Amino acid sequence: PFSREKIPAGGRYQLAAWYFPAATARAPGAVLLHGWGQSAESLFPLVMPLHQAGLATLLVDARNHGNSDAADRPSLRQFAEDMTFALDWLAERPEVDSERLFALGHSIGGAAALLAASVDPRVAGIISISSFAHSVTHLRRTLGGWHIPYWPLGWALIRYKQARQGFSFDSVAPVNTVRDTAVPVLLVHARDDVVVPVSDAQAIYRQRRDDRVRLLLLPEGGHYPLRAFRRDSSALTGFVDTCLHRS
């Protein structure tokens, strides 16, 4: 069974979500957040393995995506705020154990999971899939693909975006936020990802705080390797089980 939900987001907005309750009471839960230009439905391949692992699962449309409300200035920080709003909603469910939550995200959603959940005491584990290492690096790579020089156009664009959004990209970069996390982290990346190269995952991993951060490299799957977990979810469910036995 599942339900369609509306989650309050800061009093002004609502987030659309799919909720799949667990089969048992006081079960752990997970919030899943998609990538840029995607929606909650893109994460459906992960519902079954997480449900089989005993988790109540909440798939959320970020603001400006899917069926959620539109908002000004979409950004990584806004994605992270939406992750927190979703964790708040899930933690209030009486059938969910509010001290055993997981934050899972894909692409910018993976970066948001690291930002939002690294200092959230309710979170038992973080799963970041196909995340970029730093917004500036990713933007420079994108501009290069369009044959647009970084200087002066790219440099000016980055300065403008940081001023408009009101925060430094360094403060939200996964290569930096991964050092703040005090819970286990699973970084997942496909070796053939051409949108965000595997070197980004390796860069995040090099900055890990300790060995609670793991790196799972998949041989293929591109930027959207989620279907691999339909064939073999043992790495995903094994990570979840390890986190639950630590907490």
Side-chain angles (χ1 to χ4, degrees):
F2 66 87
S3 60
R4 301 297 301 272
E5 303 290 344
K6 290 290 187 179
I7 296 173
R12 296 177 55 194
Y13 308 102
Q14 286 190 321
L15 307 177
W18 298 77
Y19 179 53
F20 297 82
T24 59
R26 298 300 293 169
V31 172
L32 279 59
L33 189 60
H34 57 81
W36 191 270
Q38 301 293 318
S39 67
E41 286 87 342
S42 67
L43 300 173
F44 276 177
L46 298 177
V47 172
M48 185 60 71
L50 292 175
H51 188 266
Q52 291 175 341
L55 271 63
T57 308
L58 182 67
L59 287 70
V60 183
D61 287 338
R63 276 172 283 179
N64 297 292
H65 292 75
N67 294 311
S68 289
D69 290 344
D72 294 335
R73 303 178 184 178
S75 66
L76 170 53
R77 177 167 284 180
Q78 189 176 94
F79 266 72
E81 290 172 354
D82 291 346
M83 170 65 79
T84 299
F85 292 138
L87 287 167
D88 291 343
W89 185 92
L90 191 60
E92 291 175 359
R93 303 290 297 189
E95 71 275 14
V96 173
D97 186 341
S98 62
E99 296 182 354
R100 295 192 298 163
L101 302 180
F102 290 82
L104 184 154
H106 171 250
S107 195
I108 190 174
L114 285 167
L115 176 59
S118 60
V119 293
D120 191 323
R122 301 170 298 185
V123 173
I126 302 169
I127 302 168
S128 178
I129 303 172
S130 304
S131 174
F132 52 81
H134 199 297
S135 296
V136 173
T137 304
H138 187 57
L139 182 58
R140 292 187 70 160
R141 187 163 51 229
T142 302
L143 292 174
W146 294 340
H147 306 290
I148 298 175
Y150 175 70
W151 178 263
L153 295 179
W155 178 87
L157 177 61
I158 290 169
R159 293 288 295 269
Y160 168 75
K161 287 175 71 69
Q162 289 183 121
R164 188 169 185 266
Q165 294 175 359
F167 60 89
S168 162
F169 288 165
D170 282 340
S171 67
V172 299
V175 288
N176 296 326
T177 57
V178 72
R179 292 196 294 262
D180 297 329
T181 184
V183 298
V185 176
L186 179 63
L187 303 171
V188 182
H189 218 100
R191 293 183 182 274
D192 63 349
D193 190 341
V194 296
V195 178
V196 177
V198 68
S199 57
D200 276 37
Q202 293 165 333
I204 298 171
Y205 182 67
R206 284 195 297 271
Q207 298 301 315
R208 65 192 184 280
R209 183 177 185 175
D210 53 40
D211 289 340
R212 286 176 294 182
V213 179
R214 307 182 194 176
L215 176 59
L216 173 62
L217 296 181
L218 303 175
E220 58 184 5
H223 191 57
Y224 187 76
L226 308 184
R227 291 183 180 86
F229 293 117
R230 277 183 170 173
R231 297 189 298 270
D232 182 4
S233 63
S234 58
L236 181 66
T237 57
F239 173 77
V240 168
D241 186 62
T242 299
C243 293
L244 293 177
H245 282 87
R246 289 174 61 96
S247 59

